[in-house]
Amino acid sequence: MDSTRPVELQPGEGAPGLPCPPDSSELVRECLNQFKLTEPQLRQIQARILGSMELALRGEASPVPAVRMLPAYVGSIPHGTEQGDFLVLELGATGASLRVLWVTLTGTEGHQMEPRSREFLIPQELMLGPGQQLFDFAARCLSEFLDEFPVGNRRLQLGFNFSFPCHQMGLDKSILISWTKGFRCSGVEGQDVVQLLREAIKRQGAYSIDVVAVVNDTVGTMMGCGPRSVPCEVGLVVDTGTNACYMEEARHVAVLDEDRGRVCVSIEWGSFGDDGALGPVLTTFDRILDQESLNPGAQRFEKMIGGLYLGELVRQVLAYLAQQGVLFGGCTSPALLRQGSILLEHVAEMEDPSAGTACVHAILQGLGLSPGAVDAELVRRVCAAVCTRAARLCAAALAAVLTRLQHGREQQTLRIAVATGGRVFERHPRFLSILRETVNLLAPECDVSFTPSVDGGGQGVAMVTAVAARVAAHRRMLEETLAPFRLNREQLVQVQAQMREAMAQGLRGEASSLRMLPTYVRATPDGSERGDFLALDLGGTNFRVLLVRVSTGGVQIASEIYSIPECVAQGPGEQLFDHIVDCILDFQRKQGLIEQSLPLGFTFSFPCKQIGLDQGILLNWTKGFNASDCEGQDVVGLLRQAIGRKQAVKLNVVAIVNDTVGTMMSCGYEDPRCEVGLIVGTGTNACYMEELRNVAGVAGDAGLMCINMEWGAFGDDGSLGALTTCFDKLVDQASINPGKQRFEKMISGMYLGEIVRHILLHLTSLGVLFRGQKIQRLQTRDIFKTKFLSEIESDSLALRQVRAILEDLGLPLTSDDALMVLEVCQAVSQRAAQLCGAGVAAVVEKIRENRGLNELTVSVGVDGTLYKLHPHFSGLVAATVRELAPRCAVTFLQSEDGSGKGAALVTAVACRLAQLAPV
């Protein structure tokens, strides 16, 4: 069904006119049938309201939506930990009086203290006089009420229930549109009523009171239900009038321009049908009632549902039937013919079967009528017809809201609680049961429970205020927790300068947290490289052998993955390298290369000290390897010895390469300006082409040398201490190498999830997350994989999908929790990207200054899952580099297979340079 397409309502069973059949039972049937609504009619009303809601949410002005969707600026529902003392001021809810309440919330579910309240009559002259006098009176009433409490110098928080038509512009800002209910104070319409109250309280000067929120009774009804196992996210009021509110996804509310979280939207649905949409289901009695009302043609839906009108509809029908001779022996009375003589209370009592006929007779006699024996039953049928129609119309509108929620949250089944309030629910015995039955018919995919709200205008408004106070307090604690992760430009400039200094020290051979290791790679590809090369990529329990063909048409790769059994990885070193050569031999057979001696590049991703292009001393095994007699040995030499033992193999090991250099070389083949390599994955590292004259310990002054920075260890000398948070320290202490790789532990994918987990634990201990309840699952180390940061921060995910990811981790959370977890992830990943960007800025500025250039154009080859998969990481790195190195035009290129293709290209460049070298 197209929910936004106007739906034409079909006429009901009853005719719009009222002919007078001779048979009185036929007349009664014709009369009452007008109030019957068929299922198709109800579904048409539901669809029409839903379409109008969606038009209004999108902010479309044409066609004019039949309902108004007004944000109430309430973004959270109660979760049970709200506590403290709160004031409520009610103005306009009870006619010519105002009420002040003191509400104490204990933060303990099921244990709430009874609010204390006092009502003050408003003199008639204040209702019609200057607005300042009315608000000064309200402030005096507040002071008089508080004189009974030991307030002292406490600062009190107040919720303002202002029950007049307003344009709400914030939680604490509401512009009065027009006075109603007999009020006509001058100088208030068009003004912010919260500000007027604040000024009056300030003039009174007796107590320190913060007006936190202005709330209507519908929102108060929803909020007054308190925490439940099924969230209460809909409020429904049927009192003198009718209205509803619900928690909408903020991204769907065009006027807010928000893309995260939820916001309470008040649905002004009383005016539905003012455009004529309800014409086919209006009875003659509805039309008469509307014509005689104070606002003909307006609030047509409300006039079919609201308690102010149900009694009047019943009176119209009874008067008509009496005039037709069907009731009361054809007699009427002045009271029966007088507008407003039958009230909602009368209708509820007369319809209630348990009240008996005596109750009906008593009410009718009070109207000056003399009911006969059968009159009581017929009057009861009239009351039932009017009220049943009201309940079913209300259900159609509520079903539209529930359908909107289900579609907006893309849920197959919506489980939700609806808070009900208002005198119709309180006094009419069957209204709720009819409502529930009809909602089940119209929205069968919604599992709805109904909860009566207790004093929505009082305790509900207090709860709005309490929730606002809780959210504000939690926001402060969240900001304080994340503040150390929000780095400013000055801090990033300092990191850049510290890295520049550490680079210079490392290049000079002085003590430095940056080792600045020569790789003996002296050039990047220039595009003239040609030939077939082998590459070996060893960095874990699986390794690859590759054949890389470099030709004028580009680079072609064939590869195969081989496994290294645990017994081999942890056995004798000779056995490990024999196994590697056996795998190379198998690959050569499959590729038809047995008789060929091809140059080989060896990517060896373990800590090494490189002393030549084809010489690398293994410092120590990692990643589960512990092969004996290898540490302290040249791994290329160990590989060559194994080749020698397998005499059928012809191999020429040209270069040993780490993955960072391979990444730079892989991108350098596509872009000759690529002179920097960057890895941001499980770990992080960088390399770049340095002037050979600056590299101590390597002979020669002319040309370039690729330097492996090993920048993961930057800061191991304490230089990053000012930026290290308590959460970084916890992650470091629990790592296998405490005190080492400090820069890497603030940037790389292996650690970001753990930083987030520790922050979440801290926020939980403060009561900010998960209602302060200890989540056992969150105690588990490494539960929060870094890939979840990438998923959670994706712009394409709605908040419900963020919640689903976190719930899959076993974290039971609210929408508020999901938003805060998102902010934590953003803060941690943003800091990581900014620190990485500061490092890159240091490198490219070093290259620019080395060459004495005013401006440098350079490319950076990048690899690593964090950089490639995180939705914002690459953009943040680039933005930071632009800010810190404005004289460098830096392009970032994502590498394809740096450890395989890159190793082959290092070998290819080495072969090219060897051919050019003088004999």
Side-chain angles (χ1 to χ4, degrees):
M1 181 185 292
D2 183 354
S3 59
T4 61
R5 182 173 56 85
V7 180
E8 294 300 326
L9 296 175
Q10 300 303 313
E13 296 177 26
L18 289 171
C20 303
D23 184 357
S24 62
S25 63
E26 178 66 17
L27 175 62
V28 170
R29 189 185 69 80
E30 288 246 347
C31 183
L32 296 186
N33 274 352
Q34 290 190 80
F35 290 92
K36 287 186 177 179
L37 296 169
T38 64
E39 182 181 335
Q41 288 175 324
L42 290 170
R43 291 195 181 279
Q44 288 168 350
I45 291 169
Q46 174 189 4
R48 189 69 177 262
I49 291 176
L50 176 59
S52 189
M53 288 171 61
E54 292 176 344
L55 281 174
L57 285 172
R58 292 196 296 268
E60 295 184 19
S62 180
V64 177
V67 299
R68 297 174 69 198
M69 304 290 283
L70 306 175
Y73 298 91
V74 172
S76 302
I77 59 175
H79 69 26
T81 63
E82 291 81 10
Q83 55 185 308
D85 297 321
F86 300 92
L87 281 174
V88 174
L89 174 65
E90 283 186 352
L91 181 58
T94 53
S97 66
L98 64 79
R99 186 167 69 132
V100 183
L101 297 90
W102 178 287
V103 180
T104 299
L105 301 175
T106 63
T108 306
E109 210 167 330
H111 179 68
Q112 299 296 343
M113 298 180 66
E114 193 66 27
R116 288 173 282 180
S117 65
R118 183 175 169 188
E119 197 161 326
F120 298 84
L121 290 175
I122 303 174
Q124 180 74 13
E125 61 270 20
L126 289 183
M127 296 172 62
L128 303 174
Q132 183 173 316
Q133 290 184 7
L134 175 65
F135 283 93
D136 283 342
F137 174 76
R140 285 198 303 274
C141 293
L142 277 171
S143 295
E144 189 176 326
F145 176 77
L146 288 174
D147 288 342
E148 302 171 12
F149 294 85
V151 174
N153 293 323
R154 289 170 59 188
R155 194 164 188 83
L156 300 171
Q157 295 178 310
L158 180 142
F160 188 17
N161 181 4
F162 189 74
S163 299
F164 298 93
C166 285
H167 179 203
Q168 194 157 353
M169 303 178 69
L171 185 61
D172 62 347
K173 186 174 184 179
S174 192
I175 308 300
L176 176 64
I177 297 172
S178 60
W179 285 112
T180 57
K181 307 175 186 180
F183 285 75
R184 288 289 182 274
C185 298
S186 61
V188 182
E189 292 180 351
Q191 300 298 309
D192 176 10
V193 294
V194 174
Q195 187 59 33
L196 294 175
L197 179 60
R198 284 173 174 156
E199 291 169 357
I201 291 171
K202 187 176 180 181
R203 284 193 295 271
Q204 186 69 22
Y207 294 98
S208 179
I209 300 172
D210 285 333
V211 185
V212 174
V214 58
V215 188
N216 70 31
D217 54 354
T218 314
V219 178
T221 294
M222 181 186 77
M223 297 293 281
C225 274
R228 300 170 48 85
S229 56
V230 177
C232 183
E233 297 185 272
V234 181
L236 172 61
V237 171
V238 188
D239 199 85
T240 52
T242 180
N243 200 9
C245 68
Y246 73 103
M247 297 300 291
E248 175 63 84
E249 303 295 315
R251 70 182 188 279
H252 294 149
V253 185
V255 297
L256 293 181
D257 197 25
E258 291 281 343
D259 61 356
R260 298 286 186 181
R262 290 176 180 165
V263 66
C264 182
V265 172
S266 181
I267 314 164
E268 300 287 339
W269 69 20
S271 59
F272 174 68
D274 291 359
D275 58 356
L278 287 171
V281 296
L282 290 173
T283 69
T284 301
F285 307 109
D286 293 308
R287 293 187 173 95
I288 294 171
L289 182 148
D290 178 60
Q291 290 165 8
E292 294 178 353
S293 70
L294 295 173
N295 53 349
Q299 300 296 103
R300 299 304 295 266
F301 194 60
E302 183 169 271
K303 289 171 183 173
M304 301 170 81
I305 295 176
L308 184 64
Y309 305 100
L310 296 184
E312 183 60 16
L313 284 170
V314 167
R315 186 192 70 79
Q316 295 270 7
V317 177
L318 296 185
Y320 170 77
L321 292 175
Q323 289 166 346
Q324 298 301 315
V326 176
L327 273 177
F328 316 129
C331 297
T332 62
S333 69
L336 182 62
L337 299 177
R338 187 176 67 247
Q339 189 176 8
S341 60
I342 296 181
L343 305 177
L344 171 66
E345 291 79 0
H346 298 144
V347 175
E349 290 172 14
M350 290 191 292
E351 188 189 344
D352 186 359
S354 66
T357 57
C359 176
V360 180
H361 279 271
I363 292 171
L364 295 174
Q365 288 166 357
L367 293 171
L369 299 166
S370 300
V374 297
D375 288 341
E377 179 56 31
L378 183 51
V379 168
R380 181 172 288 138
R381 286 174 59 194
V382 171
C383 292
V386 171
C387 293
T388 297
R389 184 190 68 164
R392 286 167 69 80
L393 283 171
C394 188
L398 179 59
V401 174
L402 297 172
T403 303
R404 168 68 207 155
L405 276 167
Q406 184 200 12
H407 291 171
R409 298 180 186 182
E410 299 177 33
Q411 294 179 352
Q412 214 166 15
T413 300
L414 176 73
R415 294 188 70 234
I416 200 163
V418 176
T420 59
R423 289 184 305 151
V424 173
F425 282 111
E426 293 166 6
R427 301 183 183 183
H428 191 282
R430 294 176 51 247
F431 194 91
L432 179 58
S433 61
I434 298 167
L435 176 79
R436 181 187 287 112
E437 177 186 325
T438 310
V439 166
N440 290 340
L441 172 70
L442 300 178
E445 61 287 340
C446 299
D447 180 5
V448 187
S449 57
F450 292 88
T451 304
S453 178
V454 180
D455 190 13
Q459 293 191 63
V461 174
M463 186 59 78
V464 172
T465 310
V467 168
R470 167 178 62 79
V471 169
H474 287 181
R475 168 59 50 187
R476 284 193 299 272
M477 287 186 274
L478 179 67
E479 289 300 324
E480 288 169 5
T481 300
L482 297 182
F485 291 88
R486 306 195 194 282
L487 305 182
N488 56 38
R489 189 178 190 283
E490 184 181 344
Q491 289 171 306
L492 293 171
V493 168
Q494 181 68 18
V495 171
Q496 179 185 14
Q498 289 172 330
M499 183 165 281
R500 282 292 302 274
E501 179 59 27
M503 290 169 68
Q505 291 170 340
L507 288 171
R508 293 194 298 265
E510 300 171 3
S512 172
S513 61
L514 293 178
R515 298 174 70 182
M516 305 301 284
L517 303 173
T519 66
Y520 298 89
V521 171
R522 297 174 182 268
T524 56
D526 65 3
S528 67
E529 293 79 13
R530 300 288 183 271
D532 292 346
F533 306 91
L534 284 175
L536 178 62
D537 178 13
L538 178 63
T541 52
N542 290 327
F543 76 103
R544 292 185 304 157
V545 183
L546 305 93
L547 171 63
V548 180
R549 182 157 290 149
V550 184
S551 64
T552 53
V555 177
Q556 295 176 306
I557 299 175
S559 67
E560 186 149 349
I561 297 174
Y562 296 88
S563 65
I564 299 178
E566 185 178 349
C567 60
V568 175
Q570 299 184 3
E574 188 173 297
Q575 180 187 8
L576 171 62
F577 282 91
D578 283 348
H579 176 73
I580 291 170
V581 173
D582 285 339
C583 294
I584 297 172
L585 181 59
D586 176 74
F587 180 78
Q588 284 186 305
R589 286 196 191 99
K590 291 177 178 177
Q591 297 293 328
L593 302 173
I594 289 297
E595 298 301 321
Q596 296 186 46
S597 177
L598 297 179
L600 182 144
F602 186 11
T603 298
F604 188 73
S605 299
F606 297 91
C608 281
K609 179 183 179 183
Q610 202 161 345
I611 56 177
L613 184 61
D614 61 350
Q615 292 176 284
I617 308 301
L618 174 62
L619 299 177
N620 58 278
W621 285 115
T622 57
K623 307 176 188 179
F625 280 70
N626 195 25
S628 59
D629 301 321
C630 295
E631 292 180 354
Q633 301 296 312
D634 174 13
V635 292
V636 175
L638 296 175
L639 180 61
R640 283 173 174 156
Q641 291 169 21
I643 292 169
R645 289 192 291 272
K646 304 282 185 179
Q647 295 182 0
V649 183
K650 295 182 179 179
L651 294 172
N652 175 21
V653 185
V654 172
I656 181 170
V657 185
N658 77 19
D659 53 357
T660 314
V661 178
T663 293
M664 180 186 75
M665 297 295 277
S666 175
C667 291
Y669 184 78
E670 309 297 332
D671 181 356
R673 296 175 301 180
C674 183
E675 297 186 77
V676 182
L678 173 65
I679 299 284
V680 194
T682 307
T684 184
N685 194 16
C687 69
Y688 72 103
M689 299 302 292
E690 177 60 82
E691 302 296 318
L692 185 59
R693 67 179 183 272
N694 295 332
V695 185
V698 178
D701 290 327
L704 303 173
M705 167 72 74
C706 180
I707 298 295
N708 171 20
M709 295 177 67
E710 290 293 343
W711 81 359
F714 175 58
D716 287 0
D717 58 358
S719 57
L720 290 175
L723 301 184
T724 304
T725 69
C726 59
F727 309 109
D728 296 307
K729 292 174 183 176
L730 289 169
V731 170
D732 178 58
Q733 290 162 10
S735 69
I736 59 172
N737 55 349
K740 306 293 185 185
Q741 300 296 103
R742 301 305 292 267
F743 194 58
E744 181 169 86
K745 288 171 183 172
M746 299 169 85
I747 291 178
S748 73
M750 180 176 283
Y751 303 101
L752 297 190
E754 269 298 277
I755 296 173
V756 167
R757 186 179 71 86
H758 280 290
I759 296 173
L760 300 187
L761 283 171
H762 172 70
L763 292 172
T764 303
S765 72
L766 295 176
V768 173
L769 281 177
F770 313 128
R771 298 181 174 91
Q773 298 170 359
K774 185 176 181 181
I775 308 296
Q776 192 58 43
R777 185 88 168 116
L778 203 55
Q779 311 295 321
T780 307
R781 186 177 169 189
D782 292 327
I783 179 187
F784 211 93
K785 303 296 183 187
T786 298
K787 71 171 185 175
F788 294 132
L789 274 73
S790 299
E791 292 174 358
I792 288 169
E793 293 186 57
S794 172
D795 291 332
S796 64
L797 288 191
L799 192 61
R800 63 170 186 82
Q801 293 165 303
V802 174
R803 286 186 65 176
I805 292 169
L806 296 168
E807 284 167 355
D808 285 345
L809 292 174
L811 304 178
L813 74 172
T814 64
S815 296
D816 292 344
D817 291 335
L819 274 176
M820 284 190 276
V821 172
L822 171 64
E823 282 197 56
V824 171
C825 293
Q826 288 172 333
V828 171
S829 58
Q830 177 172 304
R831 183 190 68 162
Q834 288 178 317
L835 287 173
C836 184
V840 173
V843 171
V844 296
E845 275 293 299
K846 177 77 164 68
I847 295 173
R848 184 186 67 79
E849 292 181 13
N850 281 345
R851 300 175 188 177
L853 298 173
N854 188 46
E855 293 184 356
L856 171 71
T857 299
V858 68
S859 296
V860 178
V862 195
D863 203 353
T865 53
L866 179 59
Y867 184 92
K868 288 183 173 181
L869 299 182
H870 190 282
H872 306 297
F873 197 94
S874 59
L876 287 167
V877 171
T880 305
V881 173
R882 283 195 298 272
E883 183 175 5
L884 300 184
R887 295 163 74 181
C888 299
V890 182
T891 302
F892 290 86
L893 308 171
Q894 291 197 20
S895 169
E896 297 176 12
D897 194 13
S899 55
K901 174 182 171 183
L905 287 168
V906 169
T907 306
V909 170
C911 292
R912 171 173 61 81
L913 295 179
Q915 292 170 358
L916 296 175
V919 179

